[in-house]
Amino acid sequence: RAAALPLARKAATRTFVVVKALFRKMSNSDVEETSGHLLKHHLSTWQGCGDGKGFPEEEMSNKVLNPLVKEWPNMNFKNANELVMGHIIVNDSKAGLRPPALLPGCVRANACRQIWWEPSTVKVGIVTCGGLCPGLNSIIRGVTNCLWRDYGVRDIFGMPAGYNGLSNPEKFPPIKLTPEVVAEIHMKGGSMLKAARGGFDAEKILDELHKLGVNMVFLVGGDGTHFAGNLLYEAALKRGQPISIIGIPKSIDNDVVMFDKTFGFDSAVAEASEVLRNGWVEATSCEKGVGIVKLMGRDAGFVVMCASLGSDQVDLALIPEVDVKLEDILAHVDSVIDRQGHMVIAVAEGAGQSFVATGEKDATGHTIYGDIGTFMRDQVNAHLKPKGGRSFYIDPSYIIRSSPVRAVDHIFCSRLAIDAVHAGMRGYTGVCVGPIHNIIVMLPSKLIASGKKRVNVHRSAWQQCVQACGMPPSLSGM
């Protein structure tokens, strides 16, 4: 096995050189940021690397031996230049839908033999931003345990109240984290660090981190958090303040671009599927009953789509990506009631806004959405009650986002947390970790914050949902 290692490394290096050569030949005139712009995201090359195009040579720059090598000499350590190809399908029928930003390939986020940071010099801050999401405590626990047990880092602090805790640690004192402190936090929902919005001030945050001696920060949040995280990275770059800023994206709606999925989503789908079954129980316990369940999903219908498939009792899935007509909805209600005597409708909170638009915005500039759930309830009641039918409306609201993490999601959180730590110890900064083809990789935070992922109605997942629900073409968006 030992004799095979040098050969494997040589083969990996040859592959890496070929990929880099292909990347240099690529025309990126229409792609401002790609997975291959990582030179400016490693602390060995982040200053003076031009546009940052290319991959860092970790084997040349990372001089510290990973303590895991001594502790676990037979452990499988990744080659620092291992890439996951962004596009893997030959003769792809949907080639035009694949993000060109992933074409150069994505560097794997995992343990390597050589690292950038000397663990004894590392001081860490962990922050959870935005709203609640199943798995936040699992991430905090996983990051803490990996730092403490694998790297021997002892200065680990949770910064309460999101970015507020980073910019004003006097008002929101840091919480010392140890394996004992985080041992049972994954057993309940929410965040032990009290997730919050606002409070971002890049210059003030960097000043406070410098005072505290923090040189590694883990940012847990959605696309807004990582948009701000990229600004923090750029401010640190401008200052020349060496700090590893590692993002771990979260989203119940699964609307973070590039990555396969975000943590919290599987738990949300599992909880939502149970609520849909409750809607089915109500509907089947009444003559001409219609169960209507409103689920989370302001701009993306992934929860509704997957929960509809998971419960397998839904007859109509309404998502923000598909515009529908009320008369088509009511015609489908009649058709389903005539066929089976009951019906279940799953509706995303951002669906059907043409019916209930408020025209208002909140203090942050986001559109205030009208209540499509109660609108559907009232319309279905008005339509069915003269015929002897009625609707049963369920809005689980924050029950889903405050739920404890499910086992499959906890495992995923642990993967993300551990690989986030490895990425930070290897010297990366201004990046987020997440799965591409179910392999955890690193991408520039700017890329993650570049937009929102939405359900593509021409892909097989939505087509499967349409077929499972028995929806007519007029309600499918296809």
Side-chain angles (χ1 to χ4, degrees):
R1 178 175 177 178
L5 281 174
L7 294 175
R9 287 173 184 158
K10 286 182 180 179
T13 300
R14 286 195 297 270
T15 302
F16 191 61
V17 169
V18 170
V19 170
K20 288 202 297 182
L22 289 171
F23 181 44
R24 282 194 293 269
K25 293 179 181 180
M26 286 175 56
S27 172
N28 287 313
S29 58
D30 59 339
V31 183
E32 181 180 349
E33 188 90 21
T34 76
S35 59
H37 285 75
L38 281 186
L39 282 178
K40 60 183 178 181
H41 292 284
H42 193 274
L43 292 173
S44 67
T45 51
W46 72 326
Q47 299 286 342
C49 64
D51 63 3
K53 187 185 300 183
F55 302 101
E57 300 280 2
E58 290 184 60
E59 291 185 351
M60 299 291 292
S61 61
N62 289 1
K63 304 298 185 182
V64 180
L65 183 68
N66 191 328
L68 285 168
V69 175
K70 294 181 180 179
E71 184 72 19
W72 301 97
N74 294 322
M75 178 176 166
N76 178 39
F77 293 93
K78 299 296 182 288
N79 296 313
N81 51 16
E82 284 190 30
L83 296 178
V84 176
M85 303 315 298
H87 300 184
I88 61 173
I89 300 177
V90 178
N91 302 322
D92 190 358
S93 62
K94 303 186 184 73
L97 300 178
R98 312 298 179 195
L102 298 183
L103 192 58
C106 312
V107 175
R108 293 189 70 173
N110 208 306
C112 294
R113 289 179 173 272
Q114 300 296 127
I115 58 178
W116 172 262
W117 288 101
E118 168 55 55
S120 63
T121 68
V122 172
K123 192 171 185 178
V124 176
I126 306 172
V127 61
T128 55
C129 304
L132 295 184
C133 176
L136 285 171
N137 283 331
S138 296
I139 293 289
I140 297 167
R141 183 178 188 270
V143 170
T144 301
N145 285 339
C146 185
L147 285 164
W148 188 283
R149 294 171 176 167
D150 294 344
Y151 288 99
V153 176
R154 295 296 181 260
D155 292 321
I156 310 169
F157 296 92
M159 315 300 286
Y163 280 122
N164 299 283
L166 288 177
S167 60
N168 194 350
E170 292 185 358
K171 182 177 180 181
F172 303 97
I175 300 170
K176 177 76 172 179
L177 298 179
T178 67
E180 292 72 27
V181 171
V182 302
E184 299 177 357
I185 62 173
H186 64 298
M187 303 298 289
K188 62 180 182 179
S191 167
M192 70 163 290
L193 299 180
K194 299 187 178 0
R197 306 182 191 278
F200 181 77
D201 183 326
E203 297 301 327
K204 190 173 181 182
I205 289 173
L206 289 176
D207 288 341
E208 295 298 335
L209 292 177
H210 180 71
K211 291 177 186 177
L212 293 170
V214 171
N215 51 16
M216 190 175 294
V217 177
F218 294 92
L219 304 175
V220 188
D223 60 318
T225 297
H226 301 299
F227 179 85
N230 180 67
L231 297 179
L232 185 64
Y233 151 75
E234 291 180 344
L237 174 65
K238 186 176 180 180
R239 283 188 179 197
Q241 183 175 337
I243 181 171
S244 283
I245 301 170
I246 309 296
I248 306 176
K250 73 164 177 66
S251 171
I252 282 180
D253 295 345
N254 197 37
D255 58 357
V256 172
V257 296
M258 303 300 167
F259 291 138
D260 299 344
K261 67 175 182 178
T262 49
F263 79 85
F265 175 66
D266 284 341
S267 295
V269 169
E271 293 286 342
S273 297
E274 295 298 326
V275 178
L276 286 171
R277 291 191 178 101
N278 294 336
W280 174 82
V281 169
E282 292 286 355
T284 56
S285 300
C286 174
E287 186 73 20
K288 298 181 180 179
V290 177
I292 301 174
V293 179
K294 186 175 77 169
L295 299 172
M296 302 188 85
R298 278 180 56 85
D299 302 299
F302 290 103
V303 172
V304 163
M305 178 179 73
C306 292
S308 296
L309 289 168
S311 67
D312 213 13
Q313 296 292 346
V314 174
D315 304 290
L316 174 60
L318 297 175
I319 61 175
E321 294 85 349
V322 177
D323 291 326
V324 295
K325 296 178 179 179
L326 183 59
E327 54 264 34
D328 291 334
I329 293 175
L330 297 178
H332 185 51
V333 170
D334 288 337
S335 174
V336 174
I337 292 291
D338 289 344
R339 184 178 73 251
Q340 62 187 32
H342 64 272
M343 182 180 187
V344 176
I345 300 174
V347 54
E349 61 182 313
Q353 288 303 303
S354 59
F355 303 133
V356 293
T358 66
E360 301 175 3
K361 294 185 181 296
D362 63 19
T364 63
H366 292 100
T367 299
I368 298 175
Y369 285 179
D371 193 338
I372 184 61
T374 55
F375 173 84
M376 287 296 302
R377 177 199 64 194
D378 295 343
Q379 293 296 320
V380 170
N381 276 337
H383 182 70
L384 283 184
K385 281 190 175 181
K387 306 175 184 180
R390 60 160 295 185
S391 71
F392 299 87
Y393 178 59
I394 303 175
D395 179 3
S397 188
Y398 286 176
I399 293 174
I400 289 178
R401 77 170 201 168
S402 62
S403 300
V405 67
R406 296 292 182 108
V408 66
D409 228 351
H410 177 69
I411 294 170
F412 181 47
C413 288
S414 298
R415 289 179 63 200
L416 289 172
I418 291 169
D419 283 351
V421 172
H422 293 322
M425 296 303 295
R426 285 165 60 185
Y428 283 91
T429 184
V431 298
C432 288
V433 298
I436 298 289
H437 313 311
N438 200 33
I439 300 173
I440 307 300
V441 303
M442 294 176 279
L443 293 177
S445 298
K446 185 176 182 180
L447 203 56
I448 299 304
S450 62
K452 284 185 178 291
K453 182 168 64 177
R454 308 189 77 205
V455 172
N456 189 314
V457 298
H458 299 294
R459 287 189 173 177
S460 55
W462 176 245
Q463 293 172 12
Q464 180 187 357
C465 181
V466 168
Q467 292 167 342
C469 294
M471 292 161 55
S474 61
L475 298 174
S476 71
M478 296 190 296

